[in-house]
C-alpha cells in the first residue's frame, strides 16, 4: 500500500492508498515510525456492497474502510464528509486517489481565515482525489505545524465537468478510527451561559453538535474534543478539532456497526447547497486538529498557543491591551457626552486606559428598535462631534473605543427606508425579528462595501483605537435579492464571506485598531473570528460566579487572551448576585481585563481596590496572557472552590487564583493543588517569607482559608527561588 505519513514532533498522521485507489485513514496519534497498514483487515461483510472494480472480491467495501474524505455514492452508508448533486439531480460520486505533493510553508485560503506560520515552521501536503465521470476534483490540504503538534485540514473542490453541480456537503475534515472507546467533550450553551463543557460516551448512531443560525452560536461551539474513556486533565489520549468558521457548522460523531468511529466537521450540510459552475472552485473553511497523550489540559494549551501565535494577527496579538471601561451596563442607551466624560474621568484617575462608548451614539438610537444601519454620529446626544468627545477622553490620557453592529438594520432607520431590499426578507412574507432588528444581506458585496464606507467615515472623523463589533441576532428569511434563483445554502455561506471581507478591509485600512468581537456576548466565539479580532466579549453574563463556568468551558479551546471579561456592578445586572469587588476582579483577570459599571456609584474603598487591581493585572499580564493556563477544578464537580493557575513557560513563577463557592458551619479545609510548576524548585509566596517546594504545591497543595460567607477570592503569586 502506498503510505502518506505526516509527522509532527510528538504525533503521526498516516494515510494509505488501497489497490483500488481509496484513500484510507490508517492512524492518528502518538508518534510512530512504521507503516500502519497492518491494521487493515478485509472480510466479506453482509450488506456492505462492493465497488465494481473489485470484481469478485467481496472483501472490498467502502462501507467499512476507514476513509480519509468519505463521500456519498460509493457504497459507504455512514455519514459522509462530501456529497454533490448534478444539475439533473443525480446524487453522489466516487472519489479516488490521483496524486500527492509536498511543499514547505503553510497554505492560506482565499477569503477565509487560516492558520499561518513561517515557511520554516510548517509544511503543506496536497492530495488530489477525483471522480472523472461526476466531473469533480477535490484537493485535500494538510498544514503541518511540526513543533506545535497541529495538523490543519481543508478541501478545495473544483467542478471539472461541463454542467453546473451543487455541493450538498463539503466538510473541512474527517477522522475515521478503526477501533477505540471514546468520549466526546462538546460545549453547549445559551445566551448568557455559553460553552458549558459536557462529556459523554460515543454511542452507536450519530451524535452531532452544530448551528443553523448563520453564526457559530451561543448554543454549540465549533470546537470539539474526542477523548479516550479514561482521559483526564493531566493524562490520556485526546484529539481536539477547532473549525475556523463563524457561520453554520456541524460536527458529527458516528459509531458504526463494527465499532469504528467517524468524526467529521465543517459547514452544516442542512441549509447548504452551493452551486458550482464548470471550472469554478469552492474552498472549505479550515479545521485545526491536535492530538496529545498528556490529557485535556495539554490539549488546551496547544490550542491556546496555536490561536495566540498562528491565528490572531496584528499589533495587539501579543502586547498588553488597554484596560478598558465600557459604559453599557452603566448607562445602557441613556447617556450624554458629559456623562461619558464623567465616567472616563473617574476611570482615568484609577489607571483605566481606555473609554469604550457602547451602543447608542449614532442615528436616533435611544431605544433598541431603531437606527441600526444609520452610521452617523448623534451630535445632539453627545453634545458635540465624535472628535470633540474623543479629544476630551484623550486629553485625560486615555484611548477611545466605539461599539458598532455593522451587519444589522432596523426597519425604523433611514437606511431601511431607502433600501428595504438590503435586508434578508422574503418578499410577501413578514420577516422574523430578533431584538427588533433584521439582518443586512452581507452575501452582497455592494452592501458590505457601503457599510464599510460609512463606518470608515466615522473612524476617520475621530481618534478611535478600538472597535467592539457586535451581532445581535441569527439569520433567517434567507432570500437574497441579488440571486437569479433563490438558494438559502449559498446565501448562508456567502454571508460569512461578506463578514470576513468587511473585517479584512477594516484591519488592512486600520492596522493599529484593536477589534473585540461580540455577538450578544459570546455567540460568535470561534477561531475564525479570532483571525480578525484578537479578543471576543465572552458573555453578556457578567456575574463573576456564572463567569467561572463560562470561562472554564471557553478555556478548553481558546486562550485567556481571547476572553473579553469585565468587572461589573452588584447586585449583578443579570443574576442579582452580590460578590465582592476583589472576587469580581480575580475572575475578570482571567481574560482581557476591563470594567463595565458606573464608577460614580462606588465607595472610596472600592475605588482604591480598583486602583490596585489594575496595577496587579499589569504586573501579572505576562503570566495571564502569555503563560500556560491550568484548570485546577471543574464547575459542578468541585463545589467548594473554583481554582486555576497561570505558570510562566519557564516555570519561574505562577499565579494561583481561588474563589470559594460555598460556606458551611465548622467546615473542613479545602486544599488546592497547583499544576505546571518545577517540582524540584522552591517557590516563595509573594508578600511572605514562606518557601514551598514545587512538588508540595502540586502534590498536596495549599489550604484555602475558612472565612464566613461565600464568594471570597485569593490570588497568590509564587516566585521560584
Ligand atoms: C450586545 C452586547 C452587549 C452590548 C449590547 C448593546 O448585547 O453583547 O455587550 O454591547 O449588545 O446593544
Amino acid at each position: 500500500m502506498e503510505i502518506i505519513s505526516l509527522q509532527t514532533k510528538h504525533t503521526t498522521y498516516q494515510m494509505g492508498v488501497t489497490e483500488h485507489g481509496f484513500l484510507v485513514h490508517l492512524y492518528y496519534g502518538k508518534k510512530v515510525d512504521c507503516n500502519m497498514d497492518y491494521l487493515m483487515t478485509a472480510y466479506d461483510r453482509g450488506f456492505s456492497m462492493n465497488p465494481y472494480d473489485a470484481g469478485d472480491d467481496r472483501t472490498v467495501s467502502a462501507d467499512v474502510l476507514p476513509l480519509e474524505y468519505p463521500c456519498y455514492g460509493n457504497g459507504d452508508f455512514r455519514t459522509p464528509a462530501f456529497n454533490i448533486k448534478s444539475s439533473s439531480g443525480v446524487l453522489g460520486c466516487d472519489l479516488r486517489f490521483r496524486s500527492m505533493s509536498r511543499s514547505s510553508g503553510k497554505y492560506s485560503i482565499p477569503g477565509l481565515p487560516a492558520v499561518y506560520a513561517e515557511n520554516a515552521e510548517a509544511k503543506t501536503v496536497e492530495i488530489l482525489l477525483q471522480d472523472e465521470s461526476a466531473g469533480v476534483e477535490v484537493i485535500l490540504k494538510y498544514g503541518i505545524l511540526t513543533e506545535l503538534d497541529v495538523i490543519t485540514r481543508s478541501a478545495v473542490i473544483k467542478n471539472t465537468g461541463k454542467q453546473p453541480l451543487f455541493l450538498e456537503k463539503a466538510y473541512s475534515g474527517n477522522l475515521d478510527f478503526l477501533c477505540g472507546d471514546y468520549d466526546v467533550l462538546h460545549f453547549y450553551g445559551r445566551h448568557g451561559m455559553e460553552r458549558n463543557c459536557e462529556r459523554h460516551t460515543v454511542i452507536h448512531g450519530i451524535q452531532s453538535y452544530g448551528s443553523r443560525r448563520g453564526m457559530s452560536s451561543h448554543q454549540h461551539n465549533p470546537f470539539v474534543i474526542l477523548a479516550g474513556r479514561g482521559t483526564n486533565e493531566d493524562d490520556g489520549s485526546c484529539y481536539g478539532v477547532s473549525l475556523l468558521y463563524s457561520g453554520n457548522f456541524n460536527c458529527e460523531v458516528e459509531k458504526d456497526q463494527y465499532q469504528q468511529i467517524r468524526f467529521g466537521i465543517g459547514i452544516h450540510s442542512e441549509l447548504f447547497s452551493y452551486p458550482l459552475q464548470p471550472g469554478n472552485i469552492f474552498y472549505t473553511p479550515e479545521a485545526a486538529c491536535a492530538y496529545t497523550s498528556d490529557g485535556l489540559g495539554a490539549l488546551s494549551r496547544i490550542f491556546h498557543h496555536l490561536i495566540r501565535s498562528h491565528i490572531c494577527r496584528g499589533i495587539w496579538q501579543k502586547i498588553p491591551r488597554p484596560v478598558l471601561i465600557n459604559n453599557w451596563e452603566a448607562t445602557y442607551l441613556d447617556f450624554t457626552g458629559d456623562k461619558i466624560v464623567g465616567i472616563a474621568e473617574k476611570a482615568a484617575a484609577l489607571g483605566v486606559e481606555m473609554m469604550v462608548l457602547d451602543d447608542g451614539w449614532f442615528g436616533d438610537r435611544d431605544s433598541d428598535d431603531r437606527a441600526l444601519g444609520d452610521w452617523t454620529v448623534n451630535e445632539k446626544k453627545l453634545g458635540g462631534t465624535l472628535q470633540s468627545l474623543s479629544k476630551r477622553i484623550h486629553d485625560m490620557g486615555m484611548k477611545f473605543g466605539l461599539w458598532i453592529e455593522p451587519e444589522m438594520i432596523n426597519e425604523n432607520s433611514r437606511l431601511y427606508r431607502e433600501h428595504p431590499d438590503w435586508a434578508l426578507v422574503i418578499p410577501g412574507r413578514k420577516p422574523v425579528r430578533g431584538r427588533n432588528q433584521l439582518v443586512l444581506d452581507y452575501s452582497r458585496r455592494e452592501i458590505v462595501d457601503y457599510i464599510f464606507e460609512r463606518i470608515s467615515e466615522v473612524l476617520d472623523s475621530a481618534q478611535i483605537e478600538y472597535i467592539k463589533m457586535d451581532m445581535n441576532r441569527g439569520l433567517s428569511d434567507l432570500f437574497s435579492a441579488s440571486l437569479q434563483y433563490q438558494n438559502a445554502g449559498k446565501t448562508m455561506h456567502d454571508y460569512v464571506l461578506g463578514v470576513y471581507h468587511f473585517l479584512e478591509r477594516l484591519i488592512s485600512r486600520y492596522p493599529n485598531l484593536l477589534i473585540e468581537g461580540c455577538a450578544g456576548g459570546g455567540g460568535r466565539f470561534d477561531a475564525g473570528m479570532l483571525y480578525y479580532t484578537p479578543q471576543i466579549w465572552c458573555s453578556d453574563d457578567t456575574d463573576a460566579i456564572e463567569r467561572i463556568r463560562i470561562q472554564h468551558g471557553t478555556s478548553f479551546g481558546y486562550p485567556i487572551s481571547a476572553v473579553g471579561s469585565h468587572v461589573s456592578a452588584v447586585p449583578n445586572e443579570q443574576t442579582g448576585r452580590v460578590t465582592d469587588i476583589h472576587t469580581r476582579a480575580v475572575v475578570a483577570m482571567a481574560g482581557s481585563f476591563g470594567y463595565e459599571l458606573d464608577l460614580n456609584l462606588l465607595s472610596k474603598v472600592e475605588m482604591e481596590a480598583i486602583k490596585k487591581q489594575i496595577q496587579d493585572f499589569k504586573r501579572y499580564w505576562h503570566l495571564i496572557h502569555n503563560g500556560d493556563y491550568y484548570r485546577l477544578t471543574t464547575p459542578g464537580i468541585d463545589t467548594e472552590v473554583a481554582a486555576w493557575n497561570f505558570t510562566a513557560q519557564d516555570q519561574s513563577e505562577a499565579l494561583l487564583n481561588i474563589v470559594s463557592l460555598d460556606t458551611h458551619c465548622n467546615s473542613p479545609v479545602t486544599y488546592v493543588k497547583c499544576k505546571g510548576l518545577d517540582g524540584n524548585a522552591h517557590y516563595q509566596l509573594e508578600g511572605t517569607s514562606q518557601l514551598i517546594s514545587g512538588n508540595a504545591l502540586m502534590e498536596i497543595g495549599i489550604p484555602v482559608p475558612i472565612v464566613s460567607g461565600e464568594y471570597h477570592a485569593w490570588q497568590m503569586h509564587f516566585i521560584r527561588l
Side-chain angles (χ1 to χ4, degrees):
M1 185 180 282
E2 182 181 342
I3 299 292
I4 303 168
S5 263
L6 318 181
Q7 301 284 7
T8 71
K9 197 169 176 187
H10 302 105
T11 70
T12 299
Y13 187 112
Q14 202 176 90
M15 293 162 272
V17 183
T18 69
E19 64 170 307
H20 299 291
F22 289 106
L23 181 67
V24 290
H25 180 82
L26 294 172
Y27 175 78
Y28 184 25
K30 207 170 202 168
K31 193 158 191 163
V32 294
D33 59 1
C34 64
N35 288 356
M36 300 299 284
D37 52 348
Y38 79 90
L39 293 172
M40 298 287 290
T41 58
Y43 299 98
D44 179 357
R45 299 293 197 178
F47 277 84
S48 285
M49 286 100 81
N50 320 107
Y52 201 82
D53 48 323
D56 292 339
D57 186 353
R58 293 210 208 167
T59 68
V60 182
S61 174
D63 203 24
V64 294
L65 285 174
L67 290 166
E68 183 62 14
Y69 197 62
C71 57
Y72 176 78
N74 61 1
D76 179 1
F77 294 94
R78 293 164 292 177
T79 189
F82 186 70
N83 193 12
I84 53 171
K85 188 160 79 181
S86 75
S87 48
S88 55
V90 176
L91 269 184
C93 62
D94 182 5
L95 294 173
R96 303 284 179 105
F97 176 84
R98 292 291 173 259
S99 63
M100 189 272 292
S101 66
R102 292 178 188 267
S103 54
S104 60
K106 166 69 179 59
Y107 64 88
S108 56
I109 310 177
L112 283 164
V115 166
Y116 63 87
E118 298 290 331
N119 264 357
E121 290 174 316
K123 298 187 193 78
T124 292
V125 166
E126 294 190 2
I127 299 176
L128 175 65
L129 306 177
Q130 201 178 33
D131 179 341
E132 275 134 23
S133 64
V136 69
E137 218 174 72
V138 176
I139 298 170
L140 300 180
K141 295 208 175 206
Y142 299 82
I144 305 153
L145 278 78
T146 316
E147 280 299 308
L148 206 55
D149 289 319
V150 166
I151 292 181
T152 67
R153 297 209 38 189
S154 71
V156 180
I157 297 135
K158 185 171 180 187
N159 179 351
T160 54
K162 295 200 164 48
Q163 300 294 325
L165 56 82
F166 291 87
L167 290 180
E168 299 295 300
K169 192 169 184 179
Y171 272 0
S172 303
N174 180 84
L175 288 170
D176 268 14
F177 297 85
L178 283 163
C179 57
D181 276 335
Y182 291 103
D183 289 343
V184 174
L185 283 82
H186 67 108
F187 302 90
Y188 72 94
R190 58 182 187 269
H191 174 239
M193 184 42 79
E194 297 88 338
R195 292 171 296 285
N196 296 259
C197 179
E198 183 172 67
R199 178 174 185 156
H200 64 78
T201 301
V202 177
I203 56 168
H204 289 98
I206 301 171
Q207 296 101 68
S208 71
Y209 323 93
S211 163
R212 298 180 200 85
R213 295 168 187 264
M215 58 208 281
S216 46
S217 88
H218 302 86
Q219 287 73 13
H220 293 285
N221 192 266
F223 174 75
V224 181
I225 297 172
L226 198 63
R229 191 65 40 82
T231 297
N232 59 31
E233 273 293 307
D234 308 306
D235 193 33
S237 295
C238 43
Y239 303 83
V241 180
S242 186
L243 187 69
L244 283 74
Y245 191 62
S246 311
N248 291 354
F249 76 95
N250 205 16
C251 174
E252 292 179 282
V253 186
E254 177 171 13
K255 187 171 191 172
D256 74 9
Q257 54 185 337
Y258 301 113
Q259 331 290 26
Q260 305 182 125
I261 307 286
R262 176 164 285 178
F263 182 100
I265 195 163
I267 296 177
H268 207 307
S269 58
E270 280 178 43
L271 303 176
F272 179 76
S273 178
Y274 205 91
L276 216 52
Q277 297 302 319
N280 278 9
I281 288 178
F282 182 87
Y283 297 90
T284 74
E286 180 162 86
C289 316
Y291 166 85
T292 177
S293 54
D294 296 331
L296 300 166
L299 187 71
S300 293
R301 287 184 288 280
I302 293 176
F303 280 95
H304 294 178
H305 193 143
L306 177 76
I307 290 174
R308 282 193 312 227
S309 305
H310 297 278
I311 292 182
C312 292
R313 300 178 292 170
I315 64 159
W316 297 102
Q317 183 187 0
K318 286 198 175 150
I319 61 170
R321 302 179 199 143
V323 173
L324 65 83
I325 183 152
N326 177 305
N327 71 302
W328 180 244
E329 285 198 16
T331 68
Y332 296 104
L333 298 167
D334 181 18
F335 58 83
T336 60
D338 286 343
K339 200 160 173 182
I340 297 301
V341 169
I343 293 175
E345 259 165 1
K346 288 256 173 186
L350 302 179
V352 176
E353 298 160 302
M354 180 161 72
M355 176 77 225
V356 175
L357 178 55
D358 210 279
D359 192 358
W361 55 267
F362 53 92
D364 59 349
R365 180 86 170 164
D366 291 325
S367 72
D368 72 8
D369 63 353
R370 67 193 60 181
L372 286 172
D374 296 345
W375 299 108
T376 45
V377 179
N378 185 340
E379 295 185 356
K380 200 161 150 235
K381 186 166 179 176
L382 298 189
T385 61
L386 196 62
Q387 166 58 13
S388 63
L389 178 61
S390 150
K391 184 166 181 311
R392 289 170 78 189
I393 306 286
H394 281 97
D395 286 347
M396 296 174 213
M398 286 178 116
K399 294 184 175 10
F400 181 57
L402 209 58
W403 177 97
I404 58 172
E405 195 180 0
E407 297 152 70
M408 297 294 151
I409 182 164
N410 283 120
E411 288 153 272
N412 186 358
S413 68
R414 191 179 32 76
L415 187 67
Y416 188 80
R417 284 185 284 277
E418 281 169 18
H419 298 286
D421 66 319
W422 282 16
L424 289 171
V425 176
I426 299 169
R429 209 194 279 177
K430 295 289 177 213
V432 177
R433 286 179 176 151
R435 206 194 190 200
N436 290 313
Q437 62 201 51
L438 305 180
V439 184
L440 279 170
D441 184 357
Y442 260 46
S443 74
R444 291 168 61 184
R445 279 299 148 90
E446 70 274 25
I447 298 178
V448 179
D449 290 340
Y450 171 88
I451 297 291
F452 180 78
E453 272 141 35
R454 296 295 80 73
I455 297 287
S456 296
E457 280 163 14
V458 174
L459 293 179
D460 292 342
S461 77
Q463 196 180 340
I464 295 166
E465 284 92 358
Y466 160 107
I467 283 289
K468 175 177 172 189
M469 177 161 146
D470 210 341
M471 190 237 193
N472 277 313
R473 60 158 289 176
L475 272 58
S476 59
D477 303 279
L478 294 162
F479 180 97
S480 179
S482 69
L483 290 185
Q484 320 255 301
Y485 57 93
Q486 277 314 306
N487 183 328
K490 179 167 164 39
T491 304
M492 283 293 218
H493 177 62
D494 289 355
Y495 178 93
V496 181
L497 296 180
V499 174
Y500 290 153
H501 175 72
F502 179 89
L503 279 161
E504 191 66 47
R505 281 193 75 181
L506 202 59
I507 61 173
S508 341
R509 177 155 168 171
Y510 305 99
N512 297 333
L513 192 67
L514 171 60
I515 311 175
E516 177 156 349
C518 178
R524 205 160 55 178
F525 203 117
D526 56 68
M529 283 308 285
L530 290 169
Y531 187 64
Y532 307 94
T533 73
Q535 62 192 58
I536 300 175
W537 181 227
C538 188
S539 178
D540 274 347
D541 186 348
T542 59
D543 176 307
I545 304 307
E546 298 253 279
R547 269 298 182 112
I548 288 174
R549 175 183 282 271
I550 298 168
Q551 293 175 190
H552 174 269
T554 304
S555 78
F556 279 85
Y558 304 96
I560 301 308
S561 59
V563 173
S565 194
H566 300 167
V567 172
S568 62
V570 289
N572 178 267
E573 290 278 320
Q574 293 81 37
T575 62
R577 195 191 323 254
V578 176
T579 50
D580 187 74
I581 193 136
H582 178 59
T583 304
R584 282 174 268 155
V586 169
V587 175
M589 276 191 212
S592 283
F593 189 52
Y595 292 83
E596 186 159 337
L597 71 179
D598 189 346
L599 295 172
N600 294 300
L601 305 177
L602 296 192
S603 69
K604 227 171 155 191
V605 175
E606 287 171 314
M607 298 286 260
E608 283 307 310
I610 291 183
K611 223 185 232 174
K612 166 134 189 339
Q613 288 161 8
I614 294 171
Q615 287 161 5
D616 284 347
F617 179 70
K618 291 182 161 190
R619 261 185 335 120
Y620 301 141
W621 175 83
H622 61 290
L623 281 172
I624 295 175
H625 276 218
N626 290 334
D628 286 335
Y629 173 80
Y630 290 84
R631 293 178 289 268
L632 306 180
T633 57
T634 305
I637 292 179
D638 298 295
T639 50
E640 296 302 315
V641 299
W644 57 95
N645 73 235
F646 302 100
T647 310
Q649 281 175 20
D650 65 1
Q651 299 175 313
S652 58
E653 51 177 331
L655 182 69
L656 171 63
N657 302 269
I658 303 172
V659 178
S660 69
L661 300 174
D662 213 346
T663 182
H664 310 279
C665 162
N666 192 19
S667 172
V669 176
T670 303
Y671 293 81
V672 169
K673 295 177 191 172
C674 295
K675 288 183 184 172
L677 301 180
D678 177 354
N680 298 319
H682 281 84
Y683 290 84
Q684 181 165 12
L685 175 58
E686 195 190 338
T688 72
S689 54
Q690 179 97 50
L691 294 185
I692 313 177
S693 99
N695 273 334
L697 283 169
M698 293 192 289
E699 294 298 320
I700 303 185
I702 64 154
V704 180
I706 297 179
V707 215
S708 170
E710 64 266 277
Y711 313 138
H712 294 280
W714 296 269
Q715 219 165 26
M716 301 177 196
H717 185 206
F718 293 100
I719 302 156
R720 186 170 58 189
L721 286 192

